[in-house]
Amino acid sequence: MAELGPEEGRALCEALEGPAPTSVRLHPQRPCRWSGAEAVPWSPAGRYLTERPSFTLDPAFHAGAYYVQEASSQFLAHVLAGEEVAGKRILDLCAAPGGKTTLYASLAGSDGLVVANEVNRQRAAVLADNVRKWGLGNVAVTVNEPAQIAVLEGWFDIVAVDAPCSGEGMFRKTPEARDEWSENNVKICAVRQAEILREAWKTLRPGGLLIYSTCTFNRLENEGSLEGLLAEAGEEIVESTAFDCPPEWGVGFFAAVARKVPDGGSRVRVPKSRRTIFTPAGRRECAELARWIAEPGRMRFAAVADVYYAYYESQYEAVKMLAESLRVIASGVAMGQIFKERLKPDHALAMFCGLNRRAVPVAELSEEEALRFLRKQEAAAAAFAEGMNLVTHGGAALGFAKRIQNRVNNMYPNSLRIFNL
Ligand code: SAM
């Protein structure tokens, strides 16, 4: 696959006629009706669907039971298969909309931390929505240029560059991508990739792993970009591997890894804090916040302005440092605001896998009622207890709603509301 030039790439796309099969990647902790479906050979959590359902009309999609992701893009699960990822610090430098970020978050677990960065603000907002829906509480979303992230010298165990590219691997899924392709664009992409790789390399700790991937076939953007890195940092690279994937798999994806020498003398340096963002929660606030968390002993609470957040203990100091040095737009679990010693919960808390389900009554809705909830249409009060409710469908959390006598205040975020028929 790595040997293909653009023309061969096109020829391969044409050979692979018909639309790409629909596939999803399952959430590591949430049940999903597709867990028994045909597995993607290179991705343990990947499943092929026999048809493409309307994901918008599937409450399980909004509950984060799965992420809709091309089987090709799940190839990184294969690349990381032999690697110890749990508990690691991972940088996903080009992260939106979050397909790979949610994979890394699943693999990193609650002692790990994923820093998901995206330069484009609009795309970063979508990334933050997807991270919140995935609900693992171990991701910080940043909006910085790669050169700004590079102030975290030697700080990450794994650095992933899923680079902006000319997208030849997308020809099959989105035929318009063929029209946008040009030789000049390939060259522009290659220059940008070299710049991104240079900054990414600085952030990698000695012994750490760099993963470079694109969804394109040409040599210039794949091996070419890596050769640029080898030329600049070659003496710091202990091994580098390009992953072969047989053309018959139809994987429109290129991936390669490079490991930094463990004792190459590269330094580990993070910026000195120049401002204070986190205020540790007080005793009373902690008592109220802890009530909402299944394992409160594993988490630390802090306020940023008037919103309280929960962080896994093992990553608290790291996220605090990030918030003080980069533009962090989301991190940990946004828990909400406290009024008169009572938490008004944030949507992120409903989606958090570590929510204490006994904190508030659960209102289990039928599929039809769940879709009404997701559309923010009026709901019959009878399904809800007085006060705050966790709204679920099939046991999966969708959000919060507060009943005050006969009125139900739907707290599902307006920005996520579904609008179709
Ligand atoms: N990793 C994502 C996923 O799995 O969902 C897809 C990432 S996409 C291939 C590349 C991303 O790089 C885009 O979101 C794009 O906005 C971002 N990007 C564009 N120019 C960039 C730059 N100069 N530095 C870093 N990222 C850039």
Side-chain angles (χ1 to χ4, degrees), residues 67 69 92-100 118-120 123 145-146 162-164 192 196:
Y67 191 99
Q69 188 175 40
D92 187 359
L93 190 52
C94 312
K100 319 280 181 326
E118 170 57 46
V119 286
N120 177 303
R123 289 177 64 82
E145 294 292 331
D162 190 30
R192 187 163 53 200
I196 297 173

Side-chain angles (χ1 to χ4, degrees), residues 362-386:
V362 172
E364 168 67 22
L365 304 185
S366 67
E367 183 172 327
E368 198 189 322
E369 289 168 331
L371 288 171
R372 287 185 66 80
F373 174 78
L374 295 168
R375 291 182 176 119
K376 301 203 71 160
Q377 291 168 334
E378 255 176 50
F384 302 85
E386 186 68 17

Side-chain angles (χ1 to χ4, degrees), residues 130-184:
N130 283 330
V131 162
R132 177 173 57 178
K133 187 161 80 173
W134 208 239
L136 293 178
N138 60 353
V139 180
V141 178
T142 59
V143 190
N144 286 97
E145 294 292 331
Q148 295 169 314
I149 303 276
V151 297
L152 305 172
E153 243 179 284
W155 199 68
F156 291 97
D157 301 300
I158 298 173
V159 174
V161 175
D162 190 30
C165 69
S166 62
E168 291 158 8
M170 303 301 284
F171 288 178
R172 183 181 180 205
K173 187 182 165 200
T174 37
E176 313 83 70
R178 296 177 197 211
D179 304 329
E180 284 164 24
W181 187 93
S182 75
E183 216 162 299
N184 196 38

